[in-house]
């Protein structure tokens, strides 16, 4: 390690340890959390911290690209797919292969130890050259990367464009769905609605009373009974129906009767 | 600061991603773990670029990013397609080719 790199590195050490802590925390959260949405948010945390580490490693272009491409585009794509698939798609905890989880964790930790100690022992005495000289040739990191891309890496760069077009086409082909049955006309829809056993018209509104006019209050029918049709389906399924206070109803009836008689 | 720390951090993140791939069975979380492994590899590329003082590492990391973006698009389209036919994203479900 040369003196120039060593001189201004207190700040970098701080940045490294903070970002390392948060990225490992995010990675652990990614694999531990049961809901896929929580995993996606932990993943975004990891990616932002990695972007900061890229910038600290004198790679400002890659840091910005990391934020734009990963945190911006890839994570949004993940969240869109999660919305299509259903946000509450959580794992079942039953193992289909016996001992797979323990074996997987042990293998992963083993590989991690192997990598960490192997790299650590191989690289302890290595000195860092630093990128100041390489960035200085073209007067900037972006210019340096552009120089390399359009000279030494021109062919891979062109092949990348073919890859992107193929990926876009593949995604369109995979996401496309042919319509096998013709679209129903308005007349057919109307016939189906009236021929079926369902409710052809609008469903009754929830009950509106002086004390409760929330959607969980069922409507009163003329005979004093209530109807569950006036409550949104999920509330009925959850049993979240507010019971109608029949004392009030009786009271109102008594007052009306008293007024009449 | 010793830039080897970055390489070790990337090894740790790579292993965590590998554990995620091996243990989780929600296809989307498995996919995100793969992305985590790609990101860890990128961090190693960037760190080695700095250790060696050559910008090529950063160019390779850039290419990895591009390939990862293309891979995400196709992979998520496949996951959506599987979800449409099987109504599930568990990676234990698609065993149609087995029998």
């Amino acid at each position: 390690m040369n003196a120039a790199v060593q001189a201004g590195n207190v700040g970098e050490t701080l940045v490294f340890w903070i970002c390392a802590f948060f990225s490992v925390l995010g990675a652990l959260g990614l694999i531990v959390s049961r809901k896929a949405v929580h995993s996606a948010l932990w993943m975004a945390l990891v990616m932002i911290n990695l972007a900061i580490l890229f910038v600290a490693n004198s790679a400002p272009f890659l840091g910005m690209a990391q934020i734009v491409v990963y945190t911006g585009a890839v994570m949004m794509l993940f969240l869109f797919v999660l919305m299509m698939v259903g946000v509450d798609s959580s794992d079942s905890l039953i193992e289909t292969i016996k001992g797979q989880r323990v074996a997987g964790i042990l293998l992963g930790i083993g590989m991690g130890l192997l990598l960490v100690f192997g790299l650590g022992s191989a690289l302890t005495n290595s000195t860092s050259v630093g990128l100041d000289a390489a960035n200085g040739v073209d007067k900037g990191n972006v210019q340096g990367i552009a120089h390399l891309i359009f000279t030494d890496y021109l062919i891979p760069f062109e092949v990348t464009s073919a890859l992107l077009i193929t990926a876009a086409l593949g995604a369109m082909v995979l996401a496309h769905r042919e319509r096998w049955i013709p679209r129903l006309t308005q007349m057919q829809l109307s016939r189906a609605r009236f021929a079926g056993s369902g409710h052809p018209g609008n469903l009754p509104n929830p009950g509106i009373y002086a004390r409760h006019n929330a959607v969980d209050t069922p409507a009163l029918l003329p005979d004093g009974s209530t109807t569950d049709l006036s409550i949104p389906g999920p509330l009925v399924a959850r049993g979240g129906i507010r019971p109608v206070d029949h004392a009030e109803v009786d009271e109102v009836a008594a007052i009306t009767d008293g007024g009449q008689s | 600061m010793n830039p080897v720390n970055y390489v070790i951090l990337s090894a740790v993140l790579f292993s965590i991603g590998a554990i995620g791939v091996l243990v989780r069975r929600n296809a989307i979380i498995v996919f995100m773990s793969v992305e985590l492994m790609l990101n860890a590899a990128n961090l190693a590329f960037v760190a080695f670029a700095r250790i060696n003082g050559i910008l090529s590492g950063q160019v390779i990391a850039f290419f990895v990013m591009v390939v990862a973006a293309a891979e995400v698009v196709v992979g998520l389209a496949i996951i959506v397609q599987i979800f449409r036919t099987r109504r599930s994203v568990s990676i234990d479900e698609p065993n149609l080719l087995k029998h």
Side-chain angles (χ1 to χ4, degrees), chain A residues 9 12 31 33 57-59 66 70 85 89 91-92 94 96 100 112 123 129-131 141 153 160 171 174-175, chain B residues 1-4 6 9 15 20 22 24-26 35 39 50-51 56 58 65-66 68 73 81 83-84 89 92:
Chain A
N9 64 7
E12 199 202 333
I31 63 168
S33 52
N57 256 318
S58 50
Q66 168 90 359
Y70 271 106
V85 165
S89 62
D91 266 1
S92 68
I94 309 149
T96 37
Q100 183 220 3
L123 293 172
V129 178
L131 278 172
N141 177 250
Y153 294 91
T160 300
L174 283 171
Chain B
M1 198 186 73
N2 196 344
V4 176
Y6 290 101
L9 173 66
S15 314
L22 288 174
R24 297 309 298 264
R25 275 173 297 140
N26 185 332
E35 289 300 310
N39 263 304
R50 184 168 165 216
I51 290 174
S56 292
Q58 294 192 10
M65 246 180 225
V66 174
V73 169
Q81 196 71 9
F83 178 75
R84 269 186 194 155
V89 287
D92 283 336

Side-chain angles (χ1 to χ4, degrees), chain A residues 39-65:
Chain A
S39 290
L41 294 178
W42 284 118
M43 186 76 203
L45 178 72
V46 179
M47 284 167 173
I48 289 174
N49 279 296
L50 281 181
I52 297 171
L53 287 179
F54 284 178
V55 175
N57 256 318
S58 50
F61 171 69
L62 277 182
M64 292 305 130

Side-chain angles (χ1 to χ4, degrees), chain A residues 196-234:
Chain A
S197 58
H199 203 293
N202 287 347
L203 292 174
N205 287 330
I208 296 174
Y209 307 108
R211 289 196 193 164
H212 317 293
N213 59 356
V215 285
D216 59 347
T217 318
L220 270 184
L221 295 180
D223 61 349
S225 63
T226 57
T227 169
D228 281 352
L229 283 177
S230 59
I231 311 283

